[in-house]
Structures are given as structure tokens and as C-alpha cells.
């Protein structure tokens, strides 16, 4: 397996164009607020959505549009979530109609998404003005602008791409993602849009995405809030020319490996850019009794506000990790739990057999002074491995969310 990183984000795969502009949804004219992504040909499409009972209107429209397993374009605005609006569905449908007219497609070919403040009026006028304008801006190098246009409180845009080979054909997967606050996915990240030129059937693409979110995109926590607009989509246009993946085989396995690499990148980017965060936390659980138990333990640890606060304070309060493991649902033993804290500054063993292991507090504080911390948990209770990603909890988080709407 040879999967390498390449440049280009969502436009790295063959046949995709993108753009990002300011169309007037956001008050700050220096911030882009409309992104458009288009494929030269129809794409097999799969998506996962928030499990929040309150859902943004674009999710409901996208679910209808890709019910047949296909799409050809994605339109996303930032600054307003189009959630809890009395005419939200009609607005999202009207935006799809405008995009379809501008692109020469059908309205049902459009994936639509929104992110931003919940419960605020959203007029159609910015879209009526902006969609023709952004269509004229589409380019093979427009991925970066599109990634900037989907940002809310993100401190930087997030794009990534990988390249690999299937049956002698060069294939790529590209992605852009956004997310900084209101992150505790119960399906995916805040918003993640993935493109690929791999030929794969809608059924197999959906199977790959559904399996992947369980081990990566659902394993992020910034603040414990599950957004109303969470969505992750994958669009596959088949332009790489590989033999179409229609069953479980070696090509499918390699595609899933590449998809996993892209999704782990998204997890790390979102967690690292958590609102007010100063540290990326990556929890790895090894030798768990089952995959489900491992995932639950890792997510429990990085979701603990007390542990997150300790990481901000560079305090090796390992008891908070054991506490989080202990209240995790599932059938497993904690008797042999071993815990290490690791960073570029070193590594320290702080717990063995679920009990205190003598360590230097000064050495531990030095390890925790780094910007990326690994929490290494060995359950000694099975053979399964799982990961989760989060960030520390700082004073700045409260400041950001105290005046978010302003």
C-alpha cells in the first residue's frame, strides 16, 4: 500500500472544480461565505448526517436529492445555519434550483449545506446574486477558496488530498472540512466534503463511509455539543478509470485505507483548531476487549472536561483518565489498565495495573507543555485498537462563545 499526500484539496481528483466568494450572507465583507464544488460528470454520492433531532433544512433537502445515490455539485454557505427557519426547506430548495440553472444541471443533482448561527432569518437575495457569480469563478485551483468559504470560527482553512493506485490507475481523494466549536459528532464532523475520482458504486461508497465514520469522524470532541448541521459527504466521479468497485475486494480495502487517512486528517485538524484550544489531544486505546469498547473508552477520555482542563494546565492528573474509563459503558476489565502521556518532549508512565506508578511531576509537566499530546491507554484486556481526538479546555473557549453572535 502506497498512499501519498498531494496538493489540491477537493480539486486534486480529476474532474472537479471549485470556488469561494463573499455573497453578502456575512456582515464582514472580508470573509468568504459561499462555496461551490462541481464535477464534470455525475458522481456516486454517500453522506452521513447529524443525529440531532433539530436538523438544518439543507440536510433534509440533501437527503432527498441524493436518495438515488448520485449528485454532481455541492453548494455550501457559512454565517447562517438555515436551521429553525420557517421557510428553511423552501429556501434550500430554491438555492438548489438557482445552482441547477447556473450549472445546467437538475436541482436534484445538488448537495446543499449551511453552517453558522442557528435560528436567524436567511434571505434568498445573497444566493440569487452570488450563485451566478461563483459559477463564473469555478476553477481547478479553486479548492482553497472553497475551503475558506465554509469556515465559521475556524482559525484557518482545512484542505487535504492523497494519491494512490488501483489496478495501475492513479487515483486521488481530496477533502475540505470545517469545525471549531459545537463539536461532538454523532455521525461525522461539523462539515466534511470529500471528492474522489475513483470509480465505485453508490452502495459500496455508502458502505465505506458508514464504516469509516465510526472509527474516525465520530471520534472527535471539542465541547460536547452535537451540531444541528453536521454532514459528511463523498462524491466519486470515476474519472480515474479504474475498474468500478462493486464488491468487497483488494481495491475496496485500499480505497477504505485512503479514505481513513483523509478522515483522520480531518479529525486532527478540527480537534486541533477547537475554539480556544492550545493543544491537540490524541487518545489511543490498545488491547481493548472489542472494537466498540475501545472506541467508547477513547471518546470518553477526550470528552472529559476535567481531563481537558488538566491538559490546559499541564497537570498530569491521570486519575481523571481512569475516572473517564470507569464510567464508559461496556463490558470490560480495568484491572490491568496502563497509561502513558507522550509528546515531542518525551514520554512518562503514570499508571500501571489501574494504580499509581511513581513518576516525576516535573517531567510530566514538560511532556504536557507540547502542543500535541498523546494519551496512550493499554487495557491489557483484548486485541482491539481505537482512537479519538480532542483538545484542551481553555479560558478562551468561554470568551469566544460568550459573544459568538456578535
Amino acid at each position: 500500500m502506497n498512499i501519498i499526500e498531494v496538493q489540491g484539496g477537493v480539486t486534486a481528483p480529476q474532474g472537479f472544480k471549485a470556488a469561494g466568494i463573499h455573497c453578502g450572507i456575512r456582515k464582514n465583507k472580508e470573509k468568504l461565505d459561499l462555496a461551490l464544488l462541481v464535477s464534470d460528470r455525475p458522481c456516486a454520492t454517500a453522506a452521513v448526517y447529524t443525529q440531532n433531532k433539530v436538523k438544518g433544512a439543507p440536510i433534509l433537502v440533501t437527503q432527498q436529492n441524493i436518495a438515488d445515490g448520485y449528485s454532481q455539485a455541492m453548494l455550501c454557505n457559512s454565517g447562517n445555519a438555515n436551521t429553525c427557519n420557517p421557510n428553511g426547506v423552501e429556501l434550500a430548495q430554491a438555492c438548489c434550483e438557482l445552482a441547477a440553472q447556473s450549472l445546467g444541471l437538475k436541482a436534484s443533482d445538488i448537495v446543499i449545506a449551511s453552517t453558522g448561527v442557528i435560528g436567524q432569518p436567511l434571505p434568498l437575495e445573497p444566493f440569487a446574486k452570488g450563485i451566478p457569480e461563483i459559477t463564473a469563478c469555478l476553477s481547478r485551483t479553486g479548492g482553497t477558496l472553497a475551503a475558506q468559504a465554509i469556515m465559521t470560527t475556524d482559525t484557518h482553512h482545512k484542505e487535504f488530498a492523497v494519491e494512490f493506485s488501483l489496478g495501475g490507475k492513479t487515483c486521488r481523494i481530496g477533502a475540505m472540512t470545517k469545525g471549531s466549536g459545537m463539536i461532538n459528532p454523532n455521525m461525522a464532523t461539523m462539515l466534511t466534503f470529500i471528492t474522489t475520482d475513483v470509480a465505485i458504486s453508490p452502495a459500496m461508497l455508502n458502505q465505506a463511509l458508514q464504516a469509516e465514520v465510526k472509527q474516525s469522524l465520530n471520534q472527535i470532541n471539542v465541547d460536547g455539543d452535537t451540531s444541528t448541521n453536521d454532514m459528511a459527504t463523498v462524491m466519486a466521479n470515476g474519472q480515474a478509470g479504474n475498474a468500478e468497485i462493486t464488491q468487497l475486494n483488494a481495491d475496496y480495502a485500499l480505497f477504505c485505507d485512503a479514505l481513513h487517512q483523509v478522515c483522520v486528517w480531518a479529525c486532527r485538524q478540527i480537534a486541533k483548531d477547537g475554539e480556544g484550544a492550545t493543544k491537540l489531544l490524541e487518545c489511543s486505546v490498545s488491547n481493548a476487549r472489542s472494537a466498540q469498547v475501545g472506541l467508547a473508552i477513547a471518546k470518553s477520555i477526550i470528552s472529559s472536561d476535567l481531563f481537558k482542563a488538566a491538559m490546559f494546565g499541564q497537570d498530569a492528573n491521570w486519575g481523571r483518565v481512569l475516572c473517564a474509563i470507569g464510567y464508559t459503558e461496556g463490558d470490560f476489565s480495568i484491572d490491568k489498565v496502563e497509561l502513558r502521556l507522550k509528546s515531542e518532549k518525551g514520554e512518562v508512565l503514570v499508571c500501571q495495573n489501574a494504580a499509581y506508578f511513581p513518576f516525576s511531576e516535573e517531567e510530566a509537566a514538560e511532556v504536557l507543555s507540547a502542543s500535541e499530546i498523546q494519551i496512550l491507554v493499554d487495557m491489557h484486556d483484548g486485541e482491539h485498537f481505537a482512537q479519538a481526538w480532542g483538545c484542551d479546555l481553555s479560558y478562551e473557549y468561554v470568551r469566544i462563545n460568550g459573544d459568538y453572535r456578535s
Side-chain angles (χ1 to χ4, degrees):
M1 180 181 71
N2 186 23
I3 302 172
I4 61 171
E5 181 180 348
V6 294
Q7 300 299 308
V10 289
T11 54
Q14 297 181 58
F16 286 95
K17 298 183 180 69
I21 64 168
H22 174 85
C23 70
I25 297 170
R26 306 186 72 152
K27 295 178 182 179
N28 187 340
K29 295 182 179 180
E30 295 182 358
K31 291 188 175 182
L32 306 184
D33 56 16
L34 188 65
L36 181 62
L37 172 65
V38 183
S39 170
D40 292 345
R41 62 173 72 170
C43 302
T45 304
V48 286
Y49 312 95
T50 183
Q51 295 301 305
N52 194 317
K53 293 180 179 63
V54 178
K55 291 179 172 61
I59 286 179
L60 304 177
V61 175
T62 294
Q63 286 176 315
Q64 295 174 351
N65 287 356
I66 68 169
D68 63 352
Y70 290 92
S71 72
Q72 196 166 343
M74 185 286 300
L75 180 73
C76 178
N77 75 274
S78 61
N80 188 313
N82 190 13
T83 300
C84 299
N85 288 330
N87 67 332
V89 169
E90 292 79 6
L91 177 68
Q93 290 172 334
C95 289
C96 290
E97 291 285 355
L98 289 169
Q101 293 170 14
S102 191
L103 295 167
L105 303 174
K106 296 181 297 183
S108 59
D109 292 331
I110 314 298
V111 168
I112 187 163
S114 297
T115 182
V117 180
I118 296 169
Q120 297 294 305
L122 180 60
L124 183 62
E125 285 75 17
F127 295 98
K129 166 184 170 293
I131 288 174
E133 179 183 338
I134 197 171
T135 300
C137 296
L138 287 167
S139 76
R140 288 278 297 145
T141 58
T144 297
L145 290 175
Q148 292 172 354
I150 65 173
M151 293 166 52
T152 50
T153 55
D154 306 64
T155 63
H156 61 274
H157 73 280
K158 305 170 177 73
E159 60 177 339
F160 186 69
V162 297
E163 182 178 285
F164 53 101
S165 179
L166 292 177
K169 302 293 186 179
T170 299
C171 301
R172 290 183 170 185
I173 299 178
M176 62 180 177
T177 192
K178 65 85 50 186
S180 186
M182 198 179 277
I183 303 287
N184 184 32
N186 190 14
M187 46 54 65
T189 63
M190 278 285 284
L191 288 177
T192 298
F193 303 109
I194 301 171
T195 59
T196 181
D197 48 22
V198 169
I200 182 171
S201 70
M204 297 308 295
L205 185 64
N206 183 65
Q207 182 172 325
L209 182 61
Q210 295 289 339
E212 177 55 39
V213 298
K214 295 176 182 178
Q215 59 181 325
S216 60
L217 296 179
N218 269 354
Q219 291 293 105
I220 319 170
N221 184 293
V222 168
D223 50 23
D225 275 309
T226 297
S227 170
T228 59
N229 290 57
D230 283 351
M231 180 192 297
T233 65
V234 185
M235 300 170 63
N237 66 14
Q239 288 191 216
N242 63 292
E244 185 181 20
I245 299 172
T246 59
Q247 59 184 341
L248 299 175
N249 54 25
D251 283 356
Y252 176 78
L254 180 53
F255 174 78
C256 288
D257 286 341
L259 181 63
H260 180 65
Q261 186 167 317
V262 168
C263 289
V264 167
W265 161 83
C267 292
R268 289 176 57 85
Q269 287 291 308
I270 289 172
K272 189 173 184 177
D273 198 27
E275 289 176 343
T278 67
K279 301 179 190 301
L280 167 66
L281 309 179
E282 181 177 76
C283 180
S284 299
V285 176
S286 59
N287 299 312
R289 184 169 295 187
S290 69
Q292 183 176 0
V293 163
L295 290 167
I297 289 172
K299 184 73 178 285
S300 183
I301 292 168
I302 59 94
S303 299
S304 165
D305 284 345
L306 286 176
F307 177 64
K308 289 154 67 74
M311 293 298 94
F312 174 68
Q314 300 176 25
D315 177 11
N317 192 341
W318 61 271
R320 292 178 177 177
V321 175
L322 269 290
C323 178
I325 294 174
Y327 59 64
T328 303
E329 293 185 5
D331 180 21
F332 57 90
S333 170
I334 56 91
D335 295 342
K336 297 181 179 179
V337 172
E338 183 178 292
L339 172 63
R340 297 173 184 270
L341 301 174
K342 182 180 180 181
S343 74
E344 63 180 7
K345 302 292 185 68
E347 180 177 337
V348 58
L349 174 65
V350 297
C351 169
Q352 194 171 64
N353 296 322
Y356 170 75
F357 183 88
F359 67 94
S360 164
E361 291 285 357
E362 291 75 17
E363 180 184 352
E366 176 65 15
V367 169
L368 297 180
S369 69
S371 61
E372 296 189 11
I373 310 297
Q374 296 181 52
I375 302 97
L376 306 177
V377 178
D378 192 334
M379 296 297 295
H380 292 288
D381 191 40
E383 56 184 21
H384 294 273
F385 178 80
Q387 289 184 304
W389 299 266
C391 61
D392 58 345
L393 185 59
S394 72
Y395 311 126
E396 183 68 4
Y397 176 82
V398 177
R399 188 199 65 77
I400 291 171
N401 284 282
D403 61 0
Y404 176 69
R405 292 199 304 165
S406 59

